[in-house]
Amino acid sequence: MKGWLGAIIRFIVSAFVLLAVSYFLPGFEIVGFANALIAAVVIALIGYITESILGEDISPQGRGLVGFLTSAVVIYMTQFVITNMTVTMVGALLAAFVIGIVDAVVPTELR
């Protein structure tokens, strides 16, 4: 149960981060908490698939340029799955940067 509860909390926190990013950054817009929650799940799924295909070194946790760019591409691609989500390439880069900072500051165990 703890694993599921941790995953649910992580998606809820991720949805709030996406809403905050949408509010503060130009080129990134998502309307509604439900869409943000679905976007968090879609971003996690696309990230998981990308990591499975390209290997764990592509992960943003690697903190490298490739991980950062991969995160931006995943965020950009998510807009094609989620309604009421619009992301420009610059918006995706800015969102990946802010989300990367949040990931670095907030330990994964707490999210």
Side-chain angles (χ1 to χ4, degrees):
M1 180 72 173
K2 183 179 177 186
W4 282 103
L5 183 60
I8 291 169
I9 290 171
R10 180 178 174 108
F11 287 125
I12 290 172
V13 170
S14 296
F16 280 119
V17 169
L18 289 173
L19 285 173
V21 166
S22 173
Y23 183 77
F24 290 109
L25 294 180
F28 186 96
E29 182 181 347
I30 190 162
V31 178
F33 181 75
N35 286 328
L37 189 59
I38 295 168
V41 172
V42 170
I43 288 170
L45 288 173
I46 293 173
Y48 175 78
I49 292 168
T50 303
E51 220 174 80
S52 297
I53 294 170
L54 301 175
E56 289 183 18
D57 293 337
I58 202 77
S59 172
Q61 285 76 21
R63 304 283 188 254
L65 181 62
V66 174
F68 167 72
L69 293 175
T70 302
S71 295
V73 169
V74 166
I75 291 167
Y76 184 78
M77 289 173 38
T78 302
Q79 75 176 321
F80 300 113
V81 179
I82 304 299
T83 58
N84 295 322
M85 181 175 179
T86 308
V87 183
T88 64
M89 193 51 86
V90 172
L93 289 168
L94 291 171
F97 180 72
V98 171
I99 291 169
I101 290 173
V102 170
D103 279 344
V105 173
V106 179
T108 305
E109 294 83 28
L110 295 179
R111 299 187 315 119

